[in-house]
Amino acid sequence: MLAVTADLELALQLADAADRITVERFRSRDLEVDRKPDRTPVTDADLAVEDAIREVLAEHRPEDTVAGEERGGSSDTGRVWVVDPIDGTKNFLRGVPAWATLIALVEDNRPLVGVVSAPALGKRWWAERGAGAHCSTGGGAAERISVSGVRELSDAYVSTTHLGTWVEHHSREAYLRLVDACWENRAFGDFWQHCLVAEGVIDLAAEPVVNPWDVAAVQVLVEEAGGQFTDLRGTPRFDGGNALSSNGHLHRAALQLLDQ
């Protein structure tokens, strides 16, 4: 492991605690699933992970606040730990291994630390402001990661989460304009596509609707990997309600095509 600050070290320890819970509950026959008011699913594992993270933070960072998907909180001011206990809950409950715990430390609305832990994929990504972005595979050594050098949309690989959300939250036609301009497209979805942008495996990831806990951690990851992260209006923020991450070279062209 590379040298890390106390905040990043704590974030990685929080991810370890989350992994112990999620791995045990993944594909379990007695997984409890409820539906929240917005009709999205929540499992007993989601709740257990967020509660465990909050307990550790209460002990080690009592002056900080927490904003989590399941238990609430605000990321507007001060030092805030922004937590998505399981990003990709639909995958988790169906037994698809593409899900992760997302942990970010945000100060005055700027992500400083981000950890994305996807134990079923055997992957973990992390970044700290000014210290670069890294990943490990199968618990192995840390590797520095960086975005791709692709400079033309015609050579680019783009991903989204779910095409249907573009109809409701932005414009299906706008996203298809971007798809048609690119070389290849997929729907890797959720956290994974942004991590793949940071790794340089794909070049663009666009989402018409996100919550702060969905992307706070990946904003600092993508930026520290040399890429660009904004909302669909081009503002570098994780709380804008939508998101575009890229290698930086393609960002302006993608935003122009996504403009309604």
Side-chain angles (χ1 to χ4, degrees):
M1 178 66 68
L2 300 175
V4 297
T5 66
D7 285 331
L8 178 54
E9 182 179 8
L10 178 58
L12 292 167
Q13 291 172 359
L14 294 173
D16 290 340
D19 288 355
R20 288 191 288 270
I21 296 170
T22 54
V23 168
E24 181 180 352
R25 299 300 292 150
F26 184 51
R27 294 179 176 169
S28 61
R29 294 183 178 274
D30 62 344
L31 187 70
E32 298 178 10
V33 183
D34 290 319
R35 193 171 295 274
K36 293 185 284 190
D38 64 359
R39 301 186 64 190
T40 59
V42 57
T43 71
D44 62 284
D46 292 86
L47 298 172
V49 168
E50 184 165 330
D51 289 345
I53 288 174
R54 286 176 177 271
E55 183 177 348
V56 174
L57 288 172
E59 178 182 355
H60 293 279
R61 294 291 188 277
E63 301 302 318
D64 296 350
T65 59
V66 183
E69 178 177 9
E70 308 306 339
R71 304 299 191 189
S74 172
S75 61
D76 290 343
T77 58
R79 280 174 51 101
V80 186
W81 294 84
V82 181
V83 177
D84 190 342
I86 300 178
D87 187 53
T89 298
K90 293 176 184 176
N91 285 344
F92 184 87
L93 65 87
R94 290 297 302 268
V96 179
W99 48 267
T101 297
L102 278 58
I103 301 163
L105 173 60
V106 174
E107 187 165 5
D108 295 330
N109 235 26
R110 185 172 186 243
L112 301 181
V113 169
V115 175
V116 179
S117 191
L121 294 177
K123 294 285 292 189
R124 181 176 288 184
W125 301 263
W126 65 92
E128 185 168 26
R129 188 70 61 186
H134 300 82
C135 78
S136 65
T137 303
E143 300 179 26
R144 185 78 177 255
I145 58 175
S146 60
V147 296
S148 74
V150 173
R151 293 179 176 270
E152 301 294 334
L153 286 177
S154 58
D155 296 323
Y157 203 141
V158 61
S159 174
T160 192
T161 296
H162 174 44
L163 183 59
T165 57
W166 289 92
V167 177
E168 181 179 357
H169 296 284
H170 191 74
S171 165
R172 180 177 183 272
E173 290 73 22
Y175 181 67
L176 291 179
R177 284 199 301 267
L178 178 59
V179 166
D180 290 342
C182 290
W183 166 63
E184 190 62 83
N185 72 93
R186 291 289 187 274
F188 292 112
D190 302 320
F191 72 94
W192 196 15
Q193 59 196 350
H194 300 288
C195 293
L196 293 176
V197 170
E199 284 192 67
V201 176
I202 66 174
D203 312 300
L204 293 157
E207 297 194 79
V209 57
V210 294
N211 292 297
W213 49 79
D214 296 321
V215 289
V218 298
Q219 179 180 353
V220 63
L221 181 75
V222 170
E223 290 175 345
E224 284 298 311
Q228 192 169 355
F229 182 98
T230 70
D231 62 17
L232 297 184
R233 292 167 294 280
T235 303
R237 58 187 300 185
F238 65 90
D239 58 350
N242 42 54
L244 175 68
S245 64
S246 79
N247 65 3
H249 304 300
L250 305 169
H251 211 85
R252 180 178 296 181
L255 286 174
Q256 289 174 344
L257 289 173
L258 293 172
D259 185 3
Q260 291 178 291

